[in-house]
Amino acid sequence: MAVRLVVLDGDKKIYHTLSDEITIIGRGSGCTLELADRNLSRQHCQIERIEGGWQVRDLDSQNGTRLNDQIINKATLRPGDMITIGRARLQFEDSDQSADGALARERIVKERDDLLKLLEINREVSGELHHPALLEMILDRVIEVTGAQRGFLILLDGEQMDFAVARNIEKHQIDQKEFRVSRSIIKQVAASGKPEILENALNDTRYGLEQSIIDQELVSVMCVPMLLKDKVLGLIYLGNDLAQRAFTSEQLSLLEAFAAQAAIAIENARLYEEVLVKQKELAGAKEMVDQLNEQLQEKLENQSREMVLIEKDHPKVALKYNYDNLIGRSKKMVAVFKLLDRVIETRITVLIQGESGTGKELVAKAIHYNGELKGKRFVGLNCAALTQTLLESELFGHVRGAFTGAVRDRKGLFEIADGGTIFLDEIGEMSPETQTKFLRVLQEGEFLPVGSTQPRHVTVRVIAASNKNLAEMVAAKRFREDLYYRLNVIPVQLPPLRDRKDDIPILVNHFLDKLTETAPPKRKVDAGCMRALLRYDWPGNVRELENEITRLVALTRGAITAEHLSEHVRAGGLARIKLSDLEGKSLKQIVTASTYAVEKEAILAALKASNFKKVRAARMLDISRPTLDVKIQTYGIDLKNEKNASNS
């Protein structure tokens, strides 16, 4: 059988005899062996005859050349070797080196045995946490597998080298006088983080002239870095002066993989010993630690009362008006107060938007009772609480006989509030017909009571509120555009409680003071309970918080702790899986959806913490910048909106 390449294409085999000194392989028409594969360079690699055999050499290809799944520049070929370029797989066969493949089989068996040994060593070193014993175990097992004459395990600390273990093949410790190493090779591997293997150090053009190699007559050398997150933790150096080519490229690959595991085991052992030292230090000072914990607990409670729990004063900022019923001094609430200072001095229509429970009616009352209309009537109505017929009657009034049950004339809220303020909550629930009539009041100050033909005229300040996005409703043709612009003269956006958590302790103290009047004495909220309250997102906002505090006061007698909280608040508001969540979904789909939600929150948190600097955010998340960009696009994160919301 001649020397040849077997091109493997599925179940087919194509044989190409290597008759030339050099066989060029690629997709170019001038190649000796032309392969139709767009992943190949025009001249990708070549097979060339060398003294004693054949070798494969990469021709600076774009996608590289692999020999037995290892990237190579050049390497000696042995029977059975598999060359992978692009999608093509080429098997090398040489009858001169192995008439019946015995050598190839012997090599494969040896590689298998070496791999099994290294896997067993991995299991051993992973279970050893005693640092000195671990280092000796690593080196002894490596020498045993490779057959090295001697070996050294070197730990690095900056430019300092510590020959932590030095052993010979008989597992005896090597004295300093017996050290036979090339420091040039050690320094090169430490600096580059790449392994080195020398078949004959004296004849190697890179190191052969080094004095240490000449003086010690070094022959076969293999040196591998122990890498931990791209940092060279140490080196494994092996030597054999009895034979050239004592170490093979296969051994180098196996040792390189094992060295990475060894680095992790060494770091784990170091950290474990640090923990033991700390435990010993702390064991002798338990009483001191207990005292410090008590002091810390007391300090946290004081901070909860003095810093986080507000005194009855309002925000310590210069404000024109009194907002006693609006509790908060966070940055976002102070911005609301400052806007109200300007709104109160006018009679312009105001639109308050915010989630349910954020205090929209309290804001409306603050506008009315601080302004020049404070001596006039303030009336309010929730538009979602009535049917459309009753809503019109409530707003505009009706005349006797307008409908069944209308036994007398009745004034509507607009007429009652004449000269004062009317507050209409959930304005988005109005029907299109009612919206039209409401718009006429805003434009003309005129309306018709239900069943009447005589218009009434009023002068009323209108404050409207909605927990829905009216702009989106306008776009969906569910709210009149002209009415929206009439209402949205001065918009006031109330932040949800989850976006102003600094105010939670303030609100808690306010509600405790309020409830003390009916259920004395005033309760205290301990630090653990306060942390749980701050961790929860409060989808029901201030109203939900007030309900929770009311429940706590009713059910407790002494200090309020985290154990007294409602289960969902204590759990931090983590979503529970409902039966409806399981329908038609696999466990993998449910877990994936939850994971995506958590991942999106983590990305948003990192972006905010890094002031929306993507490079910093990616570093915090331990991912690459391109990966972060892909995830931002996948989750539909609008950086501009998020940044504006964060700064507001």
Side-chain angles (χ1 to χ4, degrees):
M1 183 175 65
V3 180
R4 62 185 183 180
L5 291 176
V6 182
V7 183
L8 303 177
D9 183 8
D11 296 333
K12 295 192 304 181
K13 294 183 179 180
I14 302 171
Y15 297 94
H16 179 85
T17 301
L18 299 177
S19 56
D20 298 329
E21 293 293 316
I22 296 178
T23 297
I24 298 177
I25 306 170
R27 63 180 176 86
S29 59
C31 294
T32 312
L33 176 55
E34 181 182 347
L35 299 175
D37 185 348
R38 294 177 61 86
N39 295 312
L40 300 184
S41 299
R42 293 186 178 277
Q43 292 190 349
H44 198 100
C45 67
Q46 67 181 36
I47 309 296
E48 58 187 351
R49 188 188 298 274
I50 59 174
E51 183 179 353
W54 297 80
Q55 75 174 9
V56 58
R57 180 194 300 272
D58 185 74
L59 298 178
D60 295 326
S61 65
Q62 182 175 355
N63 294 322
T65 300
R66 291 180 175 270
L67 179 64
N68 300 325
D69 290 332
Q70 299 292 323
I71 287 286
I72 56 97
N73 288 322
K74 66 175 181 178
T76 301
L77 290 170
R78 296 181 176 85
D81 278 348
M82 186 67 68
I83 302 168
T84 304
I85 52 174
R87 295 192 302 270
R89 299 170 66 241
L90 315 172
Q91 189 172 27
F92 177 75
E93 293 183 355
D94 185 355
S95 58
D96 294 335
Q97 293 186 21
S98 176
D100 57 1
L103 291 177
R105 288 195 297 274
E106 180 181 345
R107 178 172 59 82
I108 292 172
V109 170
K110 186 177 186 308
E111 289 177 2
R112 182 200 63 189
D113 291 343
D114 287 346
L115 179 59
L116 291 174
K117 286 180 182 178
L118 284 177
L119 289 173
E120 181 62 30
I121 294 171
N122 272 337
R123 285 193 288 268
E124 286 187 51
V125 300
S126 297
E128 179 59 67
L129 292 174
H130 183 55
H131 198 261
L134 173 65
L135 299 181
E136 292 183 359
M137 177 187 292
I138 290 171
L139 191 57
D140 285 343
R141 295 297 181 271
V142 168
I143 291 175
E144 178 183 325
V145 170
T146 60
Q149 188 181 5
R150 60 184 174 276
F152 305 88
L153 195 152
I154 307 162
L155 298 180
L156 301 179
D157 183 8
E159 296 184 356
Q160 299 295 318
M161 291 189 294
D162 175 20
F163 283 76
V165 186
R167 314 278 270 191
N168 59 27
I169 197 169
E170 297 177 352
K171 299 184 181 180
H172 294 156
Q173 188 71 19
I174 298 176
D175 295 333
Q176 183 71 29
K177 295 179 180 179
E178 296 178 325
F179 275 17
R180 299 182 66 186
V181 299
S182 168
R183 291 187 177 268
S184 300
I185 296 174
I186 291 173
K187 290 179 180 178
Q188 173 62 25
V189 174
S192 66
K194 296 181 180 180
E196 287 280 5
I197 183 170
L198 279 68
E199 297 177 347
N200 188 336
L202 285 170
N203 294 334
D204 192 283
T205 56
R206 296 169 297 166
Y207 303 106
L209 298 179
E210 295 291 341
Q211 195 62 42
S212 59
I213 293 177
I214 296 173
D215 293 344
Q216 300 176 46
E217 298 180 351
L218 302 181
V219 181
S220 295
V221 174
M222 184 160 58
C223 187
V224 175
M226 293 186 291
L227 295 171
L228 186 66
K229 293 184 178 180
D230 297 328
K231 177 184 177 183
V232 181
L233 188 69
L235 309 168
I236 298 175
Y237 179 102
L238 303 175
N240 192 323
D241 300 336
L242 301 178
Q244 298 182 23
R245 300 183 180 178
F247 307 119
T248 66
S249 59
E250 290 80 7
Q251 286 179 324
L252 180 66
S253 298
L254 289 171
L255 184 57
E256 190 176 3
F258 169 69
Q261 295 298 318
I264 296 173
I266 291 171
E267 181 67 6
N268 288 342
R270 184 188 67 78
L271 294 174
Y272 177 73
E273 292 197 349
E274 284 185 3
V275 171
L276 290 180
V277 171
K278 293 293 183 183
Q279 288 177 341
K280 290 179 181 178
E281 292 175 354
L282 294 174
K286 187 178 184 305
E287 183 178 354
M288 181 184 297
V289 171
D290 291 340
Q291 291 176 354
L292 290 173
N293 283 336
E294 291 177 4
Q295 294 172 8
L296 179 60
Q297 183 69 19
E298 182 179 354
K299 184 177 180 180
L300 284 172
E301 291 176 356
N302 289 337
Q303 287 178 338
S304 296
R305 288 191 294 270
E306 298 171 9
M307 294 178 60
V308 193
L309 294 178
I310 188 177
E311 63 276 4
K312 292 185 179 180
D313 294 339
H314 283 300
K316 297 179 180 179
V317 293
L319 297 172
K320 290 184 180 181
Y321 298 101
N322 189 341
Y323 303 107
D324 281 340
N325 291 326
L326 295 173
I327 308 302
R329 63 180 181 190
S330 62
K331 181 180 178 181
K332 291 192 176 184
M333 284 305 294
V334 170
V336 171
F337 296 146
K338 289 182 176 180
L339 176 59
L340 294 183
D341 273 351
R342 299 194 296 272
V343 169
I344 288 169
E345 297 173 349
T346 72
R347 291 194 179 187
I348 298 174
T349 302
V350 177
L351 176 61
I352 306 170
Q353 295 200 97
E355 297 177 5
S356 294
T358 50
K360 295 186 286 294
E361 185 170 356
L362 291 176
V363 172
K365 288 181 177 179
I367 293 172
H368 175 78
Y369 289 109
N370 279 298
E372 61 182 27
L373 300 179
K374 60 185 176 183
K376 304 294 183 178
R377 295 290 296 272
F378 175 92
V379 295
L381 178 66
N382 187 331
C383 298
L386 301 173
T387 64
Q388 294 307 311
T389 301
L390 290 177
L391 177 60
E392 288 191 18
S393 176
E394 194 71 19
L395 290 175
F396 309 122
H398 62 260
V399 298
R400 184 165 62 94
F403 50 83
T404 303
V407 296
R408 64 178 63 88
D409 290 354
R410 183 176 183 275
K411 289 183 178 182
L413 293 181
F414 273 108
E415 195 168 355
I416 293 172
D418 190 15
T421 301
I422 185 169
F423 170 64
L424 300 179
D425 198 5
E426 305 305 340
I427 197 76
E429 300 299 327
M430 277 188 179
S431 68
E433 295 79 9
T434 307
Q435 290 178 34
T436 302
K437 296 177 181 180
F438 179 36
L439 177 61
R440 184 180 179 187
V441 180
L442 289 177
Q443 290 176 331
E444 309 295 340
E446 182 181 275
F447 64 91
L448 285 173
V450 178
S452 174
T453 59
Q454 296 297 319
R456 308 284 174 88
H457 294 271
V458 292
T459 302
V460 177
R461 179 175 195 172
V462 174
I463 301 176
S466 176
N467 64 357
K468 295 181 178 179
N469 190 318
L470 294 184
E472 291 181 358
M473 293 182 67
V474 169
K477 307 297 183 183
R478 290 187 288 112
F479 197 83
R480 290 183 63 109
E481 185 174 10
D482 48 0
L483 176 57
Y484 172 69
Y485 289 119
R486 278 284 181 178
L487 291 172
N488 197 37
V489 179
I490 299 182
V492 176
Q493 183 69 46
L494 293 184
L497 189 53
R498 62 181 172 275
D499 288 346
R500 58 179 187 108
K501 288 192 173 182
D502 289 351
D503 290 335
I504 289 177
I506 299 170
L507 289 161
V508 169
N509 192 58
H510 169 75
F511 295 141
L512 290 174
D513 282 340
K514 180 180 175 182
L515 293 166
T516 298
E517 300 173 3
T518 57
K522 181 178 177 180
R523 309 292 194 275
K524 293 182 179 180
V525 175
D526 73 6
C529 181
M530 184 60 69
R531 285 194 293 271
L533 293 172
L534 290 168
R535 187 169 57 245
Y536 184 57
D537 272 347
W538 302 105
N541 295 293
V542 179
R543 185 183 298 121
E544 183 184 4
L545 176 62
E546 182 176 13
N547 291 341
E548 181 69 13
I549 299 303
T550 303
R551 189 190 71 83
L552 291 172
V553 170
L555 297 179
T556 61
R557 290 294 176 266
I560 299 174
T561 66
E563 287 70 24
H564 296 125
L565 293 170
S566 301
E567 183 180 353
H568 65 284
V569 177
R570 186 169 61 251
L574 294 177
R576 296 182 177 276
I577 300 298
K578 302 175 184 177
L579 182 60
S580 59
D581 296 329
L582 301 176
E583 294 176 355
K585 295 180 182 178
S586 66
L587 177 61
K588 182 177 180 181
Q589 289 172 322
I590 295 169
V591 172
T592 299
S594 300
T595 302
Y596 284 177
V598 173
E599 191 173 74
K600 181 177 180 180
E601 289 300 317
I603 291 171
L604 284 170
L607 287 167
K608 292 176 182 177
S610 64
N611 196 23
F612 293 86
K613 302 296 184 184
K614 289 185 181 180
V615 174
R616 289 173 56 192
R619 192 178 301 121
M620 291 170 65
L621 296 167
D622 198 21
I623 60 177
S624 68
R625 164 67 184 278
T627 299
L628 177 60
D629 286 334
V630 170
K631 291 184 179 295
I632 288 173
Q633 184 176 5
T634 300
Y635 295 132
I637 297 173
D638 189 326
L639 292 180
K640 184 178 180 180
N641 287 344
E642 292 294 341
K643 192 172 183 180
N644 290 338
S646 180
N647 293 332
S648 63

